[in-house]
């Protein structure tokens, strides 16, 4: 059974997008012992009064001052074949972490945001349990059959990547083998759990069942 708010990440990756305002990702940034900052994201994290566990990237956006003062925390990956989020995820996977929350990965650059979101499918296929949390909800990669618990009237969107024979119970609108991302958006729960069945992989976006971010900042 999947729930939105009860996820307990072993590590947190902070991207260089919009700094989180919602209490869920902000709490993790304050309390998790293994916060990995993607390059320049460390500048804001340090400015908020926190110290990252690791800083990972190619060093192109981290300030010279913090690169010097945090030299022992910095892990340089100069290759351009992957982005900093994936460099951080690969680092955590090699260190034995399996459950990771990604925050600060959206905003500022929509092309980067779409890339960061789509990479969740790759991480899942590599055996990682990764979720990407924004100020409004959570992206969860999935395959096969899953059941999610959340309040009635929770807003849910489903994005088809490589799935067929898609169906659901507990959602207001029926699902099909969507061929365009917009077709699975703006659904809604009609029970306190919903189940999706499919052959292949897909992505969920579930809005938080609590106050919107602008009321919690």
């Amino acid at each position: 059974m999947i729930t939105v708010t009860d996820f307990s990440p072993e590590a947190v990756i902070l991207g260089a997008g919009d700094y989180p305002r919602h209490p869920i990702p902000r709490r993790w940034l304050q309390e998790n012992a293994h916060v990995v900052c993607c390059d320049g994201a460390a500048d804001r994290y340090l400015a908020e009064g926190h110290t990252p566990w690791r800083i990972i990237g190619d060093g192109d956006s981290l300030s010279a001052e913090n690169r010097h003062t945090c030299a022992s925390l910095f892990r340089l990956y100069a290759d351009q074949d992957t982005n900093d989020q994936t460099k951080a995820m690969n680092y955590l996977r090699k260190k034995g972490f399996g459950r990771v929350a990604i925050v600060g990965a959206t905003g500022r650059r929509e092309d980067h945001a779409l890339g960061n979101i789509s990479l969740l499918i790759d991480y899942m296929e590599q055996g990682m349990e990764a979720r990407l949390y924004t100020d409004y909800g959570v992206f969860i990669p999935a395959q096969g059959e899953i059941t999610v618990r959340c309040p009635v009237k929770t807003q849910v969107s489903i994005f088809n990547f490589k799935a067929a024979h898609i169906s659901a119970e507990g959602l207001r609108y029926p699902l099909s083998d969507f061929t365009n991302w917009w077709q699975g958006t703006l659904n809604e729960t009609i029970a306190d759990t919903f189940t999706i069945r499919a052959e292949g992989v897909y992505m969920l976006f579930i809005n938080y069942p609590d106050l919107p971010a602008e009321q919690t900042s």
Side-chain angles (χ1 to χ4, degrees):
M1 178 79 67
I2 292 175
T3 61
V4 176
T5 57
D6 293 342
F7 189 57
S8 299
E10 299 168 334
V12 179
I13 294 174
L14 174 62
D18 289 339
Y19 197 83
R21 295 178 294 140
H22 193 278
I24 291 177
R26 287 190 72 93
R27 183 176 70 248
W28 290 333
L29 292 176
Q30 294 167 359
E31 299 177 358
N32 196 286
H34 301 99
V35 174
V36 178
C37 292
C38 293
D39 216 343
D43 290 335
R44 176 64 186 271
Y45 190 62
L46 288 160
E48 292 283 328
H50 310 302
T51 301
W53 178 62
R54 294 289 185 270
I55 303 170
I56 290 179
D58 55 16
D60 63 347
S61 58
L62 180 65
S63 69
E65 177 184 359
N66 285 331
R67 185 166 180 175
H68 174 71
T69 58
C70 298
S72 64
L73 309 177
F74 184 65
R75 300 294 183 270
L76 175 65
Y77 292 85
D79 72 89
Q80 298 299 313
D81 294 333
T82 59
N83 66 2
D84 289 341
Q85 176 180 287
T86 298
K87 292 181 177 77
M89 184 64 74
N90 289 341
Y91 179 87
L92 288 169
R93 180 165 51 87
K94 291 176 181 178
K95 292 292 183 181
F97 293 88
R99 194 168 58 252
V100 180
I102 301 170
V103 303
T106 59
R108 298 191 181 183
R109 287 281 300 269
E110 285 82 1
D111 52 347
H112 286 183
L114 285 172
N116 290 335
I117 294 164
S118 68
L119 281 164
L120 292 174
I121 298 293
D122 290 355
Y123 306 151
M124 178 183 66
E125 292 178 337
Q126 293 165 1
M128 302 289 286
E129 185 180 357
R131 300 184 184 181
L132 193 154
Y133 285 78
T134 75
D135 280 332
Y136 305 97
V138 56
F139 286 95
I140 303 175
Q143 59 183 338
E145 178 176 325
I146 64 166
T147 298
V148 181
R149 179 178 297 280
C150 55
V152 175
K153 296 187 177 181
T154 296
Q155 301 296 301
V156 177
S157 293
I158 301 95
F159 303 96
N160 186 12
F161 277 69
K162 296 178 285 186
H165 308 297
I166 306 173
S167 64
E169 296 175 0
L171 295 179
R172 182 170 302 279
Y173 306 111
L175 305 187
S176 62
D177 294 353
F178 307 128
T179 58
N180 200 304
W181 280 7
W182 71 267
Q183 293 173 306
T185 60
L186 305 179
N187 216 316
E188 184 179 77
T189 62
I190 56 175
D192 60 3
T193 65
F194 68 91
T195 298
I196 297 179
R197 299 180 180 88
E199 296 178 8
V201 298
Y202 51 96
M203 185 87 69
L204 301 178
F205 180 77
I206 305 173
N207 281 81
Y208 294 131
D210 56 0
L211 292 176
E214 57 264 32
Q215 296 185 30
T216 57
S217 59

